[in-house]
Amino acid sequence: MRYIDEFRDPALTEALLQRIAQLMLLMPERQQLPLQIMEVCGGHTHAIFKFGLDRLLPDNLEFIHGPGCPVCVLPMGRIDSCLEIAAHPEVIFCTYGDAMRVRGRHGSLLDARRQGADIRVVYSPLDALQLAADNPQREVVFFGLGFETTMPASALTLQQARRRSLTNFSLFCQHITLIPTLRSLLQQPDVRIDGFLAPGHVSMVIGNAPYGFIAENYHKPLVVTGFEPLDILQGLLMLLEQLHAGRSAVENQYRRIVPEQGNRLAQQALAEVFCLKASSEWRGLGEIAHSGVQLTPGYAEFDAERRFHPQAQQVADDPRSRCGEVLTGRCKPDACPLFGKQCTPSNAFGALMVSSEGACAAYYQYRRETA
Amino acid sequence: MQGLIEELFLQAFANPALNAREDQACIALSELCAAGDRLAVSTDSYVIDPIFFPGGDIGKLAVCGTANDVAVSGARPRYLSCGLILEEGLPFATLARIVQSMAATAQQDGMQIVTGDTKVVPRGAADKIFINTTGFGAIPNNIDWGVHQIRQGDSIIVSGTLGDHGATILNLREGLGLASELGSDCALLAPLIAPLLNIPGVRALRDATRGGVTAVLHEFAAASGCGMEILEAALPLKPAVRGMCELLGLDALNFANEGKLVLVVAPEAEAEVLAALHQHPLGRDAAVIGHTLERQQVNVVGLFGVSRRLDLPLDEPLPRIC
Ligand code: SF4
């Protein structure tokens, strides 16, 4: 399969692994070891574990699995609000598949569907829009979640809803934005991250410039990276070369896909439809200023919260869980007392076990003892 | 209803037991006894949306699925019963097409649908059509396949490309509009299995339907006490299925198949079994995908040699957003 197999070539992988190992031996003394490299995105986490890259790399190189999985950081309270909206008999509630299993206090969307709520999995918000067109007597609500990767699709859909004068369509908005969260991570006192692998698909939309402050103000290198094993290893090598040379810059490994400036059209759509919220809750990390988005006044009529007024819900994470510490590299998933006991993928206690992209779920799936 | 029975079922399924129009089918035991010393019986109900799909329909599926469950014991499936639940308003033409498909499929391998039942329920009480089939066949005297035969160090084989049926149905049901070359592998497996009866060292067979190969490996592991280890690079996959899995973050190992066997065979039987499978069109892509281990767990070794556990999926396959 072109475009996949060429980025999984075992011989090339081996060559990159060797270069990385050699470079690690040459790391300057001032560089604390083990090196901590944060892969921000759940897609990277998944690939690293699936292909066992962490096992193939030198021991003094540690991956820290960042907060970039929109499902993992979805607060329980938001799921409760989804259930509240979906319970309206006239509502068809549409969502991406991976939000189906996340549990709120009163169960998951999957549970609610089993109990009779009209909840549908869609692959694109445009499918939900079509449902609204086909069912004029129903209210179709799309659960918009995700980072800059899924936001343009939500924005385009709302623009279309307006153009088509569909008044029975609305968005329950849980879109979040990555940059403020990275900033807040870097501001925490005992977090020591040496460099970042940033998700290529986010940069496809926003470009690479928004990461500039990480290199300039915090002097950490960052490489925008693709999702195949060779992409990740090459991105890592680029990071290590910067660290070795004592440099910090934003570099782009994923040039075959990511233009430096991102996608202007998508950016325009985002600016028209979304604006920043004062603050947003992240599961495992708490409230982070300016990290969430809401609809601009021009699109407020499509806001499901305005239409259905779900109660504002806040559910505290279990005090025993260590999700926040795992997300910031202060501990490994299996160091959490709940890991693999109370907290498993089929009974997820904490944020990072919820989605298959989450660090704890990936650890559970790929790293329980196989020897 | 009488008309339906006369016009449709008796015509389509015509065979001596059914034509006798008694309340039961009378089957000569002597015939079965000549074929073996144990009766293999299996029943399954078929509910699927959509009911017609590339490579088959719910009728063909209902015959193949049950016949295959009988056939993996080594028995040749001979007789089937068929129960239909129809939603009021189902067009006659649709039903006729399904019944013809059942008849044609059964005929293909000399099976007879000897007894049946039809119920019509109000609109909304069923989704178009549900079919239950039960199959019968005799297991030859010298054949004793099953999980109790599995030993450490055996070879694990699949009879062809994985996930074709599951991918086809997902594509249609969710309107993904992906690759037109997707088609169900729905097929009768008894002819593929028949040559294996003469090969010593065949341990256990299963058809990898719901839950896919993952489910079969877990069943094998739990019942035999042996571990299972397969190699990702060895799995036969059609490019369209693989592409769909990459795109949606799903694993073809968990997809349903309707015409694929998972076999455990003694290492010394491996070559002969593989050659026998390759001779049949349904087994063209058969491949050794792994072996059994001492420690009871199910592992998959990835492309770069790192081993990981292969867990049972929690639920129906749901695509990821990123
Ligand atoms: S094991 Fe569960 S509770 Fe513990 S850090 Fe992971 S997700 Fe959170």
Side-chain angles (χ1 to χ4, degrees):
Chain A
M1 189 165 292
R2 273 190 76 213
Y3 302 125
I4 294 185
D5 289 335
E6 52 200 66
F7 294 100
R8 294 183 182 178
D9 183 281
L12 288 175
T13 306
E14 182 53 40
L16 273 173
L17 284 168
Q18 277 186 19
R19 281 175 65 190
I20 289 170
Q22 282 160 5
L23 199 54
M24 283 306 290
L25 294 177
L26 301 175
M27 272 300 149
E29 295 245 318
R30 62 182 155 72
Q31 196 68 65
Q32 268 188 66
L33 291 178
L35 282 185
Q36 292 199 327
I37 305 297
M38 172 173 277
E39 88 281 4
V40 177
C41 169
H44 282 153
T45 307
H46 195 79
I48 287 168
F49 280 106
K50 176 170 176 202
F51 292 96
L53 300 184
D54 58 325
R55 290 233 170 134
L56 299 168
L57 286 164
D59 287 341
N60 51 11
L61 217 166
E62 262 178 21
F63 281 113
I64 308 299
H65 318 294
C69 161
V71 179
C72 298
V73 295
L74 182 61
M76 285 177 107
R78 294 300 273 180
I79 290 290
D80 288 325
S81 299
C82 288
L83 296 182
E84 208 181 313
I85 295 173
H88 288 261
E90 75 278 19
V91 165
I92 301 175
F93 193 88
C94 299
T95 169
Y96 291 120
D98 38 5
M100 289 294 282
R101 282 195 204 102
V102 185
R103 278 193 306 175
R105 248 179 320 188
H106 308 297
S108 66
L109 287 164
L110 210 53
D111 298 331
R113 185 168 77 176
R114 289 191 187 114
Q115 286 150 23
D118 194 347
I119 297 172
R120 313 207 188 163
V121 173
V122 293
Y123 292 80
S124 141
L126 285 169
D127 297 342
L129 191 69
Q130 193 52 44
L131 266 175
D134 296 342
N135 295 278
Q137 73 293 2
R138 304 283 301 271
E139 277 286 339
V140 174
V141 181
F142 178 71
F143 184 27
L145 77 160
F147 293 99
E148 283 82 351
T149 45
T150 52
M151 249 188 255
S154 292
L156 281 168
T157 305
L158 288 186
Q159 287 176 330
Q160 274 213 25
R162 153 142 318 151
R163 229 170 288 137
R164 296 169 66 178
S165 310
L166 286 171
T167 52
N168 64 330
F169 180 81
S170 57
L171 179 89
F172 183 59
C173 183
Q174 179 58 34
H175 284 300
I176 42 182
T177 165
L178 204 51
I179 303 293
T181 308
L182 292 181
R183 193 188 296 275
S184 102
L185 266 178
L186 285 163
Q187 281 163 354
Q188 295 185 25
D190 54 343
V191 170
R192 170 181 82 83
I193 296 167
D194 296 294
F196 292 87
L197 292 176
H201 50 15
V202 168
S203 284
M204 254 161 79
V205 177
I206 64 173
N208 296 333
Y211 293 118
F213 74 97
I214 295 180
E216 279 155 33
N217 306 350
Y218 294 93
H219 310 291
K220 313 270 186 192
L222 179 144
V223 178
V224 172
T225 309
F227 294 89
E228 290 297 325
L230 284 182
D231 287 323
I232 294 175
L233 291 177
Q234 196 190 23
L236 184 63
L237 186 62
M238 289 166 72
L239 265 186
L240 297 181
E241 277 164 353
Q242 286 199 43
L243 283 168
H244 179 239
R247 290 190 300 123
S248 61
V250 173
E251 292 180 344
N252 185 1
Q253 178 274 335
Y254 208 29
R255 257 170 300 201
R256 68 180 189 279
I257 305 264
V258 174
E260 241 354 83
Q261 306 304 324
N263 180 336
R264 295 262 189 228
L265 276 176
Q267 289 164 16
Q268 271 163 20
L270 290 186
E272 185 185 325
V273 174
F274 293 118
C275 57
L276 286 181
K277 277 207 283 210
S279 153
S280 193
E281 187 195 350
W282 292 55
R283 194 166 171 184
L285 292 177
E287 291 281 337
I288 300 176
H290 306 299
S291 66
V293 303
Q294 62 191 14
L295 295 173
T296 49
Y299 279 84
E301 60 186 291
F302 291 104
D303 187 347
E305 285 179 83
R306 276 193 162 202
R307 223 173 267 196
F308 298 97
H309 307 289
Q311 282 173 35
Q313 309 261 12
Q314 269 218 336
V315 187
D317 290 309
D318 189 283
R320 291 171 297 171
S321 71
R322 301 187 65 183
C323 311
E325 286 154 86
V326 173
L327 275 178
T328 48
R330 295 175 178 107
C331 92
K332 292 270 166 217
D334 52 1
C336 169
L338 304 181
F339 178 84
K341 299 182 189 97
Q342 286 94 334
C343 188
T344 63
S346 55
N347 187 24
F349 226 81
L352 307 171
M353 197 61 98
V354 171
S355 147
S356 62
E357 308 282 89
C360 292
Y363 230 80
Y364 186 86
Q365 191 186 354
Y366 297 123
R367 284 292 166 276
R368 273 170 304 147
E369 225 15 78
T370 48
Chain B
M1 181 63 73
Q2 206 52 42
L4 198 66
I5 293 172
E6 290 285 339
E7 269 172 50
L8 190 58
F9 298 111
L10 284 174
Q11 304 274 336
F13 297 157
N15 60 66
L18 195 64
N19 296 349
R21 297 174 197 206
E22 294 290 354
D23 276 354
Q24 74 297 117
C26 297
I27 294 169
L29 285 178
S30 55
E31 232 178 273
L32 283 169
C33 289
D37 60 352
R38 281 147 300 154
L39 190 65
V41 187
S42 183
T43 191
D44 209 342
S45 299
Y46 297 83
V47 292
I48 186 169
D49 178 37
I51 53 179
F52 297 100
F53 44 84
D57 56 72
I58 188 169
K60 181 178 180 188
L61 197 65
V63 172
C64 292
T66 296
N68 291 344
D69 284 341
V70 172
V72 291
S73 70
R76 188 176 148 219
R78 297 295 312 278
Y79 304 106
L80 289 175
S81 79
C82 154
L84 296 172
I85 294 176
L86 311 177
E87 186 185 16
E88 204 169 29
L90 181 79
F92 179 80
T94 305
L95 176 63
R97 198 174 145 196
I98 291 168
V99 168
Q100 295 300 350
S101 164
M102 293 185 78
T105 308
Q107 224 167 35
Q108 231 181 65
D109 197 37
M111 280 182 281
Q112 298 181 355
I113 298 174
V114 291
T115 183
D117 170 58
T118 306
K119 294 279 184 304
V120 178
V121 297
R123 225 177 255 273
D127 183 13
K128 298 184 276 292
I129 177 168
F130 297 160
I131 304 180
N132 171 275
T133 48
T134 302
F136 303 86
I139 305 171
N141 301 21
N142 57 336
I143 295 296
D144 181 22
W145 294 343
V147 282
H148 59 282
Q149 300 282 14
I150 295 176
R151 306 275 176 276
Q152 183 193 334
D154 285 347
S155 302
I156 306 172
I157 296 176
V158 292
S159 66
T161 53
L162 304 179
D164 301 354
H165 178 78
T168 305
I169 298 302
L170 192 68
N171 183 39
L172 286 177
R173 203 184 60 210
E174 308 294 351
L176 300 181
L178 291 177
S180 52
E181 65 266 39
L182 284 175
S184 170
D185 55 350
C186 184
L188 291 174
L189 291 171
L192 177 67
I193 295 170
L196 307 180
L197 293 168
N198 304 318
I199 304 176
V202 175
R203 311 271 209 221
L205 263 59
R206 233 165 241 200
D207 62 334
T209 53
R210 253 187 100 181
V213 172
T214 307
V216 174
L217 295 176
H218 277 271
E219 286 160 19
F220 278 166
S224 70
C226 288
M228 306 278 142
E229 181 162 83
I230 60 169
L231 307 171
E232 200 151 23
L235 302 176
L237 293 175
K238 289 215 169 84
V241 173
R242 198 176 146 206
M244 178 172 186
C245 288
E246 290 292 341
L247 205 64
L248 301 177
L250 299 172
D251 194 338
L253 282 169
N254 301 334
F255 279 2
N257 309 273
E258 292 296 341
K260 294 295 151 46
L261 294 171
V262 183
L263 307 93
V264 177
V265 308
E268 58 276 14
E270 184 186 294
E272 206 181 338
V273 168
L274 214 50
L277 292 172
H278 285 158
Q279 296 244 312
H280 195 281
L282 289 177
R284 234 183 10 225
D285 300 316
V288 177
I289 61 163
H291 56 274
T292 58
L293 302 170
E294 185 185 354
R295 199 164 144 199
Q296 193 190 350
Q297 52 182 225
V298 181
N299 294 336
V300 49
V301 179
L303 219 50
F304 306 139
V306 178
S307 172
R308 61 178 161 94
R309 289 234 196 143
L310 180 64
D311 284 329
L312 280 171
L314 296 173
D315 232 304
E316 61 193 287
L318 293 171
R320 305 198 309 260
I321 53 175
C322 71

